Amino acid sequence: MKRILLVGKPNSGKSLLFNQLTGLRQKVANFPGVTVDIKTGKFDGFELVDLPGAYSVHTLSKDEDIAIAQINKAMADDNTALLVCNLDATRLQSSLVFALHMQALARQHNKNVVFALNLYDEMQKIGHAIDTEKLSAELGSPVFAVSARTLFGIAEFKEALKAIAGGHQPVAQPEQLSAAPELIQQKARQMAASYGAKADILLKNQNRIDSFLLHHASGSLMFLLVMFFLFQSIFTFATPLMDGVEAGIAAIAEWSLSLMGEGMAADFIRDALFGGVGAFLVFVPQIMVLTLVIGLLEDSGYLARAALICHRPLSFFGISGRSFVPYLSAHACAIPAIMAARTIESPRKRLITMLTIPLMSCSARLPVYALLVAVFVPSTQYLGGLVSLQGVVFFGLYLFGIVTALCISLLLSRSSALDGKQSDMPFILELPSYRLPHWKPLIRRVVESGKLFIYRAGPIIFAVSVVIWVLGYFPQNGSLQDSYLGMIGHWIDPIFAPLGLDWRYGVAILMSFLAREVFVGALGTLFGIDGADEHIGDLASQLQADGLALGAGIGILLFYVVALQCVATVATLKAETGRGRLVLSVVVGYGLLAYLLAMAAYQIIG
């Protein structure tokens, strides 16, 4: 199958254009580093490939190294029929610099080039028209004005792509242009001055908003409010959805059990299936709400501003403003966050950021937090239900993880144990235009986050629940104390006794080293076995009735904030750093720190 390549700089609407051409679910983001993966899709008999975004062929970050290497590899492939360069109509000069380099590369490999002048709706808003025919003549390649957001020009662009890629429409070859950076800069500047809108007109509204959001006082206050809203929403706004899921699971459980008599099969379905897997599914809405809020921040353009705001305070801790985006995205999942750290130019700061990302509370911790917060914190509401006490505690847990990461970053930055003490490059960040989110891809992304969470953790939860149920049910058919699990639990009991936890919590914690989410499912299975007459979804009430001490509960929370219990995260750290011994030290160190914090919480609070 012949291939069409789509290239361009970040923040230029390239991913959304790919989405419109192929109909695939493609992430749209306003920060470099989130499109490292290569996306492919079918386009009218062709394979359309969305290559990673890059600002220049002269790379500064590891992220751009990967992007340019993939572009060179794809251009040398005989199956590549056409190169599509995506241009940002609002930032024509910087887009043309990269595009002209790509055009010169395509000419070396005898490939046709087409330019998509994207974000043209922004030009229409200010009444500026770009003469695409003259620009095409000067570039020596076709230029099509399009808007992936409003679909302006998309139909015509699709027809032209099919004709050109299929060889039915000839494309004039551009004049030979030197790949010398200064000549390309000169030509890009000249064409931008001739065809692009004046910067002061384009940036008028953006500068007005930035004067408030980037002000040292109002900007800092707004940043804190946005972050508080982010973490408050995880608990407060997701609660009705969680209640709905819990009610649905309880109804299905009641209906299923009513069709069965007493016996082993009914015990398995009640305790392992609904007690374990069902307890885990209740928390999926929180992952979706978290993804929605982070997506809104990305797509609106605020995320890059937040990175700029954070640069000065983060510099004190030995990292930079670019570390903010990996840190924030780590609250969804640490794995893409570690990969997003590739955009950090300084090798030392990039390494410190990657090593401390696991301390950010990812979505896998949400079920543990939500369960224990529900046990100890009353659901008191403030400001008409917009703020809840449980949400405030949630914010405190996330804040504790962030503060811990910053403290460890400070220690690592002052340490001689890490190498890579190279001279740092200046902090440079392109601020994208403010835009309304494109809702269809965003909603798809939210739904996909919930599905991915279930697909990734569901099989593990089910397998662990089955194993725990079997070990806890036999050989005495339900007598937990005399079961195989009881024997194992009592053997490890001395390890968790200083934390104020009995063997059941110890078993759940050990099992959760496969994946943190397992903790809730394991406890659901264990307490289902121990109290099968309790309501299926009422695990928090069961823990309250069991008499879990406040200090022990806080200790569990602190343990899960700090401990690195994700095998996939460890593997990603090893792959990105290439330093297995260092990663092992991080796993052990975080584990010991988590244990000591949990023990201190129980000994002090009781």
Side-chain angles (χ1 to χ4, degrees):
M1 182 180 292
K2 289 295 183 179
R3 186 179 301 119
I4 299 174
L5 305 182
L6 179 60
V7 301
K9 71 184 189 68
N11 308 318
S12 62
K14 177 173 66 72
S15 295
L16 186 54
L17 178 61
F18 173 80
N19 203 33
Q20 300 292 12
L21 293 175
T22 63
L24 286 186
R25 299 169 183 180
Q26 169 72 16
K27 183 175 180 180
V28 182
N30 284 320
F31 194 89
V34 295
T35 54
V36 172
D37 294 334
I38 298 174
K39 302 295 190 299
T40 62
K42 299 295 188 297
F43 171 70
D44 202 75
F46 294 93
E47 182 186 35
L48 184 63
V49 182
D50 180 18
L51 291 170
Y55 287 101
S56 172
V57 293
H58 306 289
T59 60
L60 294 177
S61 68
K62 186 177 179 182
D63 190 20
E64 289 187 320
D65 287 340
I66 296 171
I68 298 303
Q70 291 296 333
I71 290 172
N72 283 314
K73 180 180 178 182
M75 290 295 290
D77 193 332
D78 291 337
N79 285 327
T80 300
L82 179 65
L83 177 70
V84 178
C85 287
N86 186 76
L87 303 176
D88 182 351
T90 67
R91 288 171 167 81
L92 196 54
Q93 180 177 333
S94 59
S95 292
L96 282 171
V97 169
F98 180 72
L100 288 171
H101 276 293
M102 291 295 99
Q103 188 182 44
L105 179 64
R107 184 175 175 82
Q108 292 176 16
H109 294 279
N110 198 30
K111 308 292 185 187
N112 284 331
V113 180
V114 170
F115 293 98
L117 189 61
N118 206 345
L119 303 177
Y120 199 73
D121 55 314
E122 299 291 332
M123 295 292 98
Q124 293 172 321
K125 287 180 182 179
I126 63 173
H128 182 82
I130 296 178
D131 192 331
T132 54
E133 290 187 5
K134 288 186 178 180
L135 183 57
S136 297
E138 189 162 351
L139 284 169
S141 299
V143 177
F144 297 89
V146 299
S147 171
R149 177 177 299 280
T150 66
L151 300 184
F152 170 82
I154 292 295
E156 296 84 353
F157 183 59
K158 286 182 177 180
E159 292 302 319
L161 280 188
K162 288 186 286 185
I164 295 172
H168 305 302
Q169 179 177 325
V171 177
Q173 286 290 334
E175 295 181 5
Q176 184 68 38
L177 176 68
S178 171
E182 61 275 8
L183 295 180
I184 285 182
Q185 286 278 0
Q186 181 181 350
K187 183 168 184 177
R189 185 164 50 249
Q190 174 261 316
M191 285 191 291
S194 300
Y195 302 102
K198 293 183 178 179
D200 57 343
I201 298 175
L202 284 169
L203 299 178
K204 182 178 180 181
N205 291 331
Q206 178 177 317
N207 290 340
R208 186 184 299 116
I209 300 174
D210 282 343
S211 64
F212 175 78
L213 290 181
L214 297 181
H215 188 269
H216 68 277
S218 59
S220 300
L221 178 61
M222 183 58 64
F223 173 79
L224 293 176
L225 290 175
V226 169
M227 292 300 104
F228 182 79
F229 170 80
L230 169 66
F231 300 123
Q232 180 72 220
S233 65
I234 295 171
F235 202 98
T236 305
F237 302 150
T239 298
L241 296 173
M242 295 173 66
D243 292 341
V245 172
E246 184 174 3
I249 292 173
I252 295 173
E254 185 177 352
W255 175 78
S256 301
L257 293 172
S258 67
L259 301 178
M260 307 179 67
E262 295 295 325
M264 184 185 302
D267 291 342
F268 173 80
I269 290 176
R270 178 180 59 242
D271 301 329
L273 189 58
F274 289 105
V277 179
F280 151 76
L281 291 176
V282 170
F283 302 100
V284 173
Q286 290 182 318
I287 281 76
M288 298 175 70
V289 169
L290 175 64
T291 304
L292 174 63
V293 178
I294 292 180
L296 288 172
L297 295 177
E298 286 181 345
D299 294 350
S300 66
Y302 180 75
L303 206 54
R305 272 83 181 173
L308 188 61
I309 292 170
C310 291
H311 176 64
R312 179 170 292 180
L314 289 179
S315 298
F316 174 79
F317 296 97
I319 48 182
S320 76
R322 286 189 178 272
S323 302
F324 170 77
V325 174
Y327 272 179
L328 183 62
S329 58
H331 289 97
C333 181
I335 295 170
I338 292 171
M339 298 178 69
R342 294 170 175 174
T343 59
I344 302 171
E345 294 90 348
S346 165
R348 184 176 178 83
K349 290 179 180 178
R350 182 167 63 242
L351 179 61
I352 293 173
T353 301
M354 287 191 292
L355 294 181
T356 52
I357 276 175
L359 292 166
M360 302 295 130
S361 293
C362 66
S363 57
R365 293 173 168 102
L366 280 176
V368 182
Y369 292 174
L371 174 65
L372 294 174
V373 167
V375 171
F376 293 110
V377 182
S379 56
T380 307
Q381 303 286 328
Y382 304 99
L383 300 178
L386 293 177
V387 178
S388 73
L389 183 59
Q390 291 177 332
V392 172
V393 174
F394 244 68
F395 178 71
L397 290 170
Y398 279 83
L399 185 61
F400 181 77
I402 294 170
V403 171
T404 305
L406 293 177
C407 291
I408 292 178
S409 296
L410 181 62
L411 292 175
L412 291 176
S413 68
R414 303 292 193 272
S415 171
S416 59
L418 297 181
D419 54 17
K421 285 191 174 181
Q422 302 176 11
S423 58
D424 288 334
M425 302 191 64
F427 176 68
I428 302 174
L429 183 67
E430 182 182 45
L431 296 181
S433 301
Y434 289 105
R435 303 179 187 126
L436 290 175
H438 198 259
W439 290 103
K440 190 175 180 180
L442 179 58
I443 297 302
R444 283 177 173 174
R445 194 192 322 173
V446 170
V447 174
E448 286 297 314
S449 70
K451 290 168 60 177
L452 181 63
F453 190 68
I454 294 173
Y455 293 155
R456 187 190 67 210
I460 300 175
I461 300 290
F462 177 74
V464 170
S465 297
V466 170
V467 170
I468 290 177
W469 183 84
V470 170
L471 292 176
Y473 197 82
F474 297 103
Q476 298 297 325
N477 294 334
S479 175
L480 191 58
Q481 291 289 339
D482 301 321
S483 67
Y484 297 124
L485 191 61
M487 300 174 192
I488 296 172
H490 291 303
W491 182 70
I492 64 172
D493 188 57
I495 299 175
F496 295 95
L499 311 184
L501 304 173
D502 65 27
W503 63 273
R504 292 172 298 181
Y505 293 95
V507 168
I509 289 173
L510 287 182
M511 289 291 184
S512 69
F513 273 89
L514 294 172
R516 297 180 182 94
E517 309 94 319
V518 169
F519 179 81
V520 173
L523 277 186
T525 304
L526 286 167
F527 279 87
I529 296 171
D530 201 31
D533 57 330
E534 297 289 340
H535 193 272
I536 294 296
D538 210 5
L539 182 56
S541 297
Q542 292 186 38
L543 298 186
Q544 288 176 330
D546 187 63
L548 179 64
L550 176 61
I554 293 176
I556 296 176
L557 289 172
L558 294 178
F559 183 90
Y560 276 91
V561 169
V562 176
L564 207 174
Q565 299 166 278
C566 180
V567 176
T569 299
V570 175
T572 304
L573 275 175
K574 169 64 168 60
E576 289 295 304
T577 64
R579 301 171 64 173
R581 184 175 297 179
L582 176 63
V583 173
L584 179 61
S585 300
V586 170
V587 174
V588 174
Y590 286 171
L592 289 175
L593 178 59
Y595 185 88
L596 293 174
L597 286 172
M599 183 168 63
Y602 176 67
Q603 299 299 329
I604 294 172
I605 301 173

